[in-house]
Amino acid sequence: MKLLDEKTLAQTTYSEACKYLAALKSGIDRPSRFNPMLRYNICVLCFEKLFVAYIAHLGMMAEHHVPLALFKETVKIDPAFPADFEEIARSVGRFESICSIDGFGYQTPTDRDIQGMISGLIKINDYIEKKIGNNC
């Protein structure tokens, strides 16, 4: 199996992120046909794809795949990356639970939580879109 180079990975992964973001945007101002857990999972996938694409665009391969770790990894590579995106990473990652010893168990975000995540993903996308040069 041939591995993708960073440029191709950035382009294909960013394209996937845009598809997730489009699905999320379509339900931001009106009721969604998706339940909150599915919408949350789409938010997590979108976040991951945006960051993996940007890190690949910067010539590196992402070492992490959870929101806060991806944010921190990105800041190490690009110190000018907006610091306020950390709060978005925290809001997206807040509902993930790797195992039962996390202490809070599995939670489902509210519609308001999800709307905040989507707004944050749009801001992150706007930044990355300018850097990568591709449009969603």
Side-chain angles (χ1 to χ4, degrees):
M1 180 166 125
K2 183 180 177 203
L3 295 177
L4 299 176
D5 62 274
E6 286 89 354
K7 182 179 179 179
T8 304
L9 178 64
Q11 292 171 347
T12 58
T13 306
Y14 185 70
S15 175
E16 292 169 8
C18 289
K19 291 173 186 173
Y20 288 127
L21 190 57
L24 292 167
K25 282 180 178 180
S26 71
I28 196 167
D29 293 324
R30 59 183 171 78
S32 175
R33 65 179 185 248
F34 303 132
N35 69 34
M37 199 62 203
L38 179 57
R39 290 174 66 211
Y40 172 66
N41 286 328
I42 295 170
C43 286
V44 173
L45 289 168
C46 182
F47 186 97
E48 180 182 6
K49 296 290 185 178
L50 286 170
F51 276 78
V52 169
Y54 187 56
I55 290 169
H57 170 76
L58 296 172
M60 304 291 287
M61 297 299 257
E63 294 180 12
H64 305 334
H65 292 277
V66 295
L68 190 55
L70 278 167
F71 170 80
K72 289 179 179 181
E73 184 176 352
T74 303
V75 170
K76 285 181 184 176
I77 301 167
D78 177 9
F81 195 73
D84 59 326
F85 291 171
E86 181 175 3
E87 187 55 39
I88 299 165
R90 288 186 187 283
S91 74
V92 172
R94 192 173 99 200
F95 297 94
E96 286 190 320
S97 180
I98 303 302
C99 65
S100 61
I101 63 171
D102 287 341
F104 63 85
Y106 295 96
Q107 300 174 358
T108 301
T110 65
D111 284 334
R112 186 175 177 171
D113 293 326
I114 293 168
Q115 286 177 333
M117 289 176 212
I118 296 169
S119 295
L121 289 167
I122 291 168
K123 289 177 189 174
I124 291 169
N125 178 66
D126 290 347
Y127 178 86
I128 291 174
E129 186 174 77
K130 289 175 188 165
K131 296 290 187 173
I132 289 180
N134 290 1
N135 295 327
C136 270

